[in-house]
Amino acid sequence: MAKTVRETIKDITKHHLLEKKSMCFGQCLTAVGWVGGTLPELYEEDGMVEVTTADVANGGFVVGAALKGIRPIYVVRYQGFQWYNAPIIINYACKSKEIWGIPCPIFVRSIAMEGAIGPVAGSSHHSLFQRMPGSKIISPMTPDEFDFAYKEFMKDDDVYYVSEHRRSYDNSEELKNVIQQDADFTLFPISITRFDAEKARLILKEQGYKINIIHQLWIKPFLFKKEWREALNSSKHGGMVLDDDYEEGAASSIAHSMMIDSEKKVYTFGLEHRTAGFHPDVDNLPPSPESIAERVKSIINK
Amino acid sequence: MKDFRLEVFKKASLCRNFENILYEKVQEKLIKFPVYLSAGQEFIASTIAEKISELKISPDIFIQHRGHSTYLAFGGSIDQLIDEMLGRKTGCALGMGGSASIQCKEKNIFGHDGLMGNQVPIGVGACFASKCPTIVFVGDSAAEEDYCLSAIGWASTKKLPILFVVEDNNLSILTEKKVRRNWEMHDVAQGMHVKSFNISDDPLEINEHLQNVFDYPILLNINTVRKYWHAGAGTDGDNFDRYEKELSYFGDAGIEIDKFNKNLVLEAWQRQLEKQ
Ligand SMILES: Cc1ncc(C[n+]2csc(CCOP(=O)(O)OP(=O)(O)O)c2C)c(N)n1
Ligand SMILES: [Mg+2]
């Protein structure tokens, strides 16, 4: 049976601690569930380090460990908690190479999840890191992509913000781009929206629309590949960046880069610009397949 | 055997002369960014550095923004510090650090990014990863940052070989401690089971409290007097000056050392300015 994203992360973590003699820091790691089953059952003597509940300080501990050259993994169990965890990572680790010539690489596993978790914990918050210098942001949703993210990190000396999503952990399939001649529209989905973009494509196909999908693994640095530009330019009605974060961040920034460098309009569709509540009626979820299909049709038929 | 107090004075004298000459350079507007002079507080770093050299160890040092004396006392290059003040690539922080973010790789001094107190959790994390002697310097105001307090707590929990040095000049820019809080750092740290002491910046008193340094986490809240403004070159009035006290204690020998260091710093400036 093919390996899932969950097993891939677990194996990589085990390798990183036991073979590379590094450390993995986080809150409540060894509690029931081991972070959605993504961690091997290891303890402090093996490098699996339970930190305090002081999120801001915890971010600092990991920066200090990284300064000692151990390339730590830092697990932040809900991306919303980055508002407390990110400050020292962004301001010290991400700047250390430029100010002092001392790299401070950290593999920040930042986990998104949504649905009934209220105003602060849910969704992705990679835009928080995206607007500041000194980090790379990658959002792997498949086993090969996670493996790739880790290998890139190990070759590199930057802080990696790895924007994960719990809904991807069961996935064992790779996601492929769909690029067609004379498409009506191109979707550029990020994170968990990549799965729903594929469903939206099928809904729209049934209704006679030809939709491209170009998966966005790297959020930063954003590299607009030639074949993506060509696919966008040959899409009749332009494209749309889909995200699991608020639209006013990475999605808008990527859409802007695409528009500057193409002849088409690129729209954005992510979380609504409002606070999520707990009840389904007031939640704020990433775009569903149906809502993506509706949004695309409303642009095409404008 | 070396005279401990004299050795400390030699270091402090280098620091004081560096700051006094830098004071002039700031007044002459040779330096246009904020400069955090550490004059008045130099006996803290000088005493600890002397103790460390006696112990023949080279701990990791996490510095605060007011760190010229820390840098010099622990043996950072004076030429590179001057180059840093001049914004040169050859500066100790590649010309990026200005006054607040200096570092010295050779002496394991890690730079400060300018967010007060960041160095406390970072130092604790580094110490946790290395399990090696580590010193963290922090101001009495920066120490109030929530992340500093929780970091001290975690160092205690993990029984790390770490020394926290609170350079307590009673001021946050110009706001006095009594306006900001009704508690003391040594009490809080003690509550977290860190061996903590509230002491003066008298070198002998500091040294007394360094006897078991790195055997377990220790916090020294060291009361000191900032001689110049928070940033820039100016004074807030005539206050107690430890340097004057030690200088008069050593008499002629003290004056000789002071002169020697003044020349050393002046020559270093001349050398570096001529390099342009
Ligand atoms: C996180 C953060 N908050 C506030 C400031 C503004 N600030 C700069 S220096 C300073 C006072 C620092 O006082 P203290 O830590 O006692 O050191 P001292 O300047 O007295 O040596 C403050 C509040 C800052 N640089 N960083
Ligand atoms: Mg102060």
Side-chain angles (χ1 to χ4, degrees), chain A:
Chain A
M1 224 173 69
K3 215 162 145 175
T4 59
V5 168
R6 173 183 291 107
E7 289 154 354
T8 307
I9 301 175
K10 192 170 171 174
D11 287 351
I12 285 173
T13 310
K14 195 167 177 181
H15 162 84
H16 196 62
L17 300 197
L18 301 184
E19 309 295 323
K20 297 285 172 191
K21 304 284 176 218
S22 183
M23 290 179 178
C24 173
F25 293 82
Q27 273 174 358
C28 311
L29 299 182
T30 56
V32 191
W34 295 79
V35 190
T38 58
L39 295 180
E41 294 193 15
L42 299 174
Y43 294 90
E44 191 167 314
E45 56 274 21
D46 306 305
M48 189 72 76
V49 185
E50 287 282 359
V51 287
T52 70
T53 313
D55 291 65
V56 183
N58 292 341
F61 301 156
V62 181
V63 172
L67 280 179
K68 298 305 293 179
I70 67 162
R71 296 183 166 269
I73 295 175
Y74 187 32
V75 182
V76 178
R77 291 161 65 249
Y78 290 89
Q79 289 209 23
F81 301 161
Q82 288 293 353
W83 290 94
Y84 283 177
N85 285 272
I88 303 184
I89 298 174
I90 288 179
N91 286 291
Y92 199 104
C94 294
K95 295 176 180 173
S96 179
K97 196 166 61 168
E98 275 185 281
I99 310 178
W100 301 294
I102 299 183
C104 193
I106 304 170
F107 193 80
V108 183
R109 282 189 55 204
S110 193
I111 305 171
M113 176 190 157
E114 53 270 316
I117 49 173
V120 296
S123 78
S124 297
H125 287 265
H126 35 242
S127 301
L128 195 57
F129 275 66
Q130 199 247 2
R131 59 178 297 277
M132 292 291 280
S135 65
K136 290 188 176 148
I137 308 175
I138 190 164
S139 183
M141 291 291 127
T142 74
D144 284 0
E145 288 175 358
F146 203 94
D147 205 44
F148 170 78
Y150 175 71
K151 287 188 176 127
E152 287 295 298
F153 168 72
M154 292 305 281
K155 286 191 287 194
D156 212 340
D157 61 6
D158 283 315
V159 171
Y160 271 47
Y161 184 93
V162 185
S163 185
E164 297 178 19
H165 199 291
R166 275 193 190 239
R167 251 212 286 153
S168 76
Y169 287 170
D170 283 330
N171 178 41
S172 56
E173 317 244 306
E174 297 305 314
L175 295 167
K176 301 241 162 10
N177 287 344
V178 178
I179 298 180
Q180 313 161 79
Q181 283 290 311
D182 303 316
D184 292 301
F185 202 74
T186 300
L187 294 172
F188 297 96
I190 297 170
S191 177
I192 200 63
T193 69
R194 294 169 61 191
F195 298 98
D196 293 335
E198 181 56 26
K199 289 183 193 148
R201 185 182 77 82
L202 297 176
I203 295 172
L204 288 163
K205 189 177 174 191
E206 292 235 314
Q207 299 174 18
Y209 298 99
K210 223 169 158 182
I211 308 295
N212 289 337
I213 296 191
I214 300 181
H215 290 282
Q216 300 298 299
L217 172 61
W218 283 108
I219 297 175
K220 187 184 152 194
F222 173 71
L223 180 70
F224 198 20
K225 291 187 187 163
K226 189 162 163 269
E227 61 268 31
W228 300 357
R229 188 184 315 112
E230 285 167 2
L232 174 63
N233 278 336
S234 65
S235 299
K236 288 180 207 117
H237 301 277
M240 184 154 71
V241 179
L242 300 172
D243 200 1
D244 176 46
D245 195 348
Y246 292 100
E247 276 170 45
E248 295 77 2
S252 298
S253 157
I254 289 174
H256 175 259
S257 302
M258 287 176 174
M259 281 194 274
I260 292 279
D261 211 11
S262 73
E263 294 142 24
K264 291 289 154 90
K265 278 192 179 167
V266 181
Y267 301 81
T268 55
F269 191 13
L271 297 192
E272 289 174 32
H273 202 65
R274 63 177 176 82
T275 301
F278 283 92
H279 191 276
D281 290 352
V282 288
D283 215 333
N284 193 358
L285 303 178
S288 65
E290 295 73 23
S291 65
I292 297 168
E294 282 311 307
R295 185 72 69 98
V296 170
K297 276 193 291 181
S298 76
I299 294 167
I300 291 178
N301 300 320
K302 216 167 19 187

Side-chain angles (χ1 to χ4, degrees), chain B residues 41 139-142 167-173 180 226:
Chain B
Q41 307 186 182
D140 56 291
S141 165
E167 302 198 57
D168 186 350
N169 59 17
N170 186 41
L171 295 173
S172 175
I173 305 181
R180 311 187 319 253
R226 189 182 77 201

Side-chain angles (χ1 to χ4, degrees), chain B residues 37-95:
Chain B
L37 298 173
S38 57
Q41 307 186 182
E42 54 277 270
F43 281 88
I44 299 176
S46 300
T47 307
I48 297 167
E50 184 53 29
K51 175 72 181 180
I52 294 309
S53 79
E54 267 187 14
L55 292 174
K56 297 193 173 37
I57 53 171
S58 44
D60 283 333
I61 295 161
F62 290 83
I63 196 169
Q64 64 155 326
H65 64 293
R66 195 178 304 288
H68 304 164
S69 291
T70 312
Y71 172 96
L72 290 170
F74 281 92
S77 147
I78 187 168
D79 290 1
Q80 284 181 33
L81 184 55
I82 291 172
D83 277 359
E84 189 61 39
M85 298 300 127
L86 297 171
R88 294 174 176 168
K89 283 226 169 333
T90 45
C92 61
L94 315 175

Side-chain angles (χ1 to χ4, degrees), chain B residues 227-247:
Chain B
K227 186 169 173 63
Y228 300 133
W229 283 345
H230 167 68
T235 65
D236 298 318
D238 259 348
N239 293 313
F240 169 78
D241 187 351
R242 172 78 51 197
Y243 190 77
E244 290 299 326
K245 186 168 179 204
E246 293 295 290
L247 183 67

